[in-house]
Amino acid sequence: MVLSIDPTLPEAVDSARFKEEGYTFTVTGENVRITAPTANGVYYGTRTLLQILLLDDGRDSVPVGTAVDWPNYKVRGFTLDVGRRFFTADFIRDYIHLTGWFKLNEFQIHLNDNGFKGDRPWSEAQAGFRLKTDNPALSGLASKDGAYDRRDWDSFEDTAAANGVTIVPEFDAPAHSLAFIRFKPSLGLNNGDSDHLDLSKLETTAFMKSVFDEFTPWFRGPDVHFGADEYQADKSRYKTYFNDMAAHIRSLGKHPRAARTASPAAGPVRPVPGRG
């Protein structure tokens, strides 16, 4: 087998996706040659070879011929919610590996969330925040039933890089924020009896910025997701929060992503290019 990167590789079609993730796959009677403009393209070609060999049809060889392959979609992603249910670090690494195996290129990890209230008080609802730092200012924020430290996170990033995957971390606020409110009850609506942050308080946005300040240096990918979905309280202040957080994430050198689902009555928010 011959693997090679050739940035000048001519395209079979006019496709930006081929330039970033495509490859040629040539099989002769002597060998298999996978050539691509990028390392990721070569990686996807090797996945194709392994998948052909693993076909459950008794095959022990690869058909002779030439194929040119590239994805139709720039983003091919998967999201795992670890906020509501903790998954071990070993599981995360295995899932990232599986993501690359199926030629998906993004692994979004939803790092905080909570269960629904139902008929019970919020104090009885499940909540989780899954990153753990030695910073005493955030001591107690990480969930006791499971959280990832910097060493764990670095192992996720290393696994992703080896499997053609980019990690997109997500902290979800100002709704879905019971874990933050448990840590600082004064930041929650209804004296903390809520999973919505109280955006009327300056310290609320300041606290959320401090969370991103602490953990964004861990993240190697270009994008950071700040949630922003399903906030049903103060729509005007939600708009201000949304724009402030997007600007703050940009100031940290990252591209912000969000899932805006507040009422249009909140007024315009500045667009956050990217995917939810």
Side-chain angles (χ1 to χ4, degrees):
M1 181 170 64
V2 179
L3 307 179
S4 59
I5 297 174
D6 180 1
T8 67
L9 188 68
E11 298 180 51
V13 295
D14 183 17
S15 169
R17 300 272 56 76
F18 180 86
K19 292 178 182 178
E20 294 184 13
E21 299 178 292
Y23 59 92
T24 62
F25 187 95
T26 303
V27 182
T28 67
E30 288 75 36
N31 63 23
V32 176
R33 179 180 293 273
I34 298 170
T35 308
T38 66
N40 276 354
V42 172
Y43 173 80
Y44 292 134
T46 63
R47 300 310 91 181
T48 295
L49 175 60
L50 292 173
Q51 288 161 6
I52 290 172
L53 293 172
L54 288 173
L55 286 172
D56 188 19
D57 61 357
R59 184 190 304 274
D60 59 3
S61 62
V62 182
V64 170
T66 298
V68 181
D69 188 26
W70 66 94
N72 284 334
Y73 299 97
K74 181 175 183 177
V75 177
R76 306 175 305 283
F78 174 82
T79 298
L80 183 66
D81 179 357
V82 302
R84 293 187 177 99
R85 185 185 188 283
F86 178 69
F87 296 86
T88 67
D90 284 342
F91 181 93
I92 299 297
R93 288 186 289 268
D94 286 346
Y95 229 87
I96 293 171
H97 187 275
L98 190 65
T99 299
W101 171 257
F102 286 111
K103 301 177 185 174
L104 304 180
N105 61 2
E106 285 192 357
F107 185 86
Q108 183 168 323
I109 183 165
H110 187 72
L111 289 161
N112 72 279
D113 215 316
N114 49 265
F116 298 103
K117 179 177 182 291
D119 295 330
R120 60 188 173 179
W122 280 111
S123 61
E124 296 180 9
Q126 179 275 341
F129 180 84
R130 303 302 183 183
L131 292 186
K132 179 169 54 178
T133 175
D134 294 331
N135 184 344
L138 296 176
S139 176
L141 176 58
S143 299
K144 292 181 173 59
D145 64 327
Y148 313 114
D149 61 18
R150 180 63 183 270
R151 183 176 179 180
D152 291 326
W153 191 267
D154 284 345
S155 76
F156 301 161
E157 295 281 7
D158 290 343
T159 303
N163 288 274
V165 176
T166 298
I167 297 177
V168 180
E170 178 187 359
F171 298 140
D172 199 358
H176 303 272
S177 296
L178 188 57
F180 301 127
I181 295 167
R182 290 236 173 106
F183 180 66
K184 284 187 177 291
S186 63
L187 302 183
L189 289 174
N190 302 323
N191 296 314
D193 185 27
S194 175
D195 74 338
H196 278 34
L197 294 175
D198 185 348
L199 299 181
S200 70
K201 298 178 178 179
L202 294 178
E203 57 264 36
T204 299
T205 300
F207 171 76
M208 289 308 305
K209 288 180 178 178
S210 76
V211 173
F212 284 93
D213 289 344
E214 178 68 23
F215 294 107
T216 296
W218 294 21
F219 307 147
R220 301 181 195 173
D223 291 7
V224 172
H225 201 298
F226 65 101
D229 61 311
E230 299 181 333
Y231 188 74
Q232 302 300 322
D234 190 329
K235 304 299 176 61
S236 178
R237 287 193 172 98
Y238 166 87
K239 177 186 71 173
T240 301
Y241 173 87
F242 185 104
N243 291 331
D244 283 352
M245 293 306 301
H248 187 68
I249 291 168
R250 290 188 185 100
S251 77
L252 297 175
K254 299 296 185 181
H255 176 266
R257 290 195 193 182
R260 180 182 179 242
T261 53
S263 164
V269 295
R270 289 188 285 276
V272 177
R275 288 71 54 192

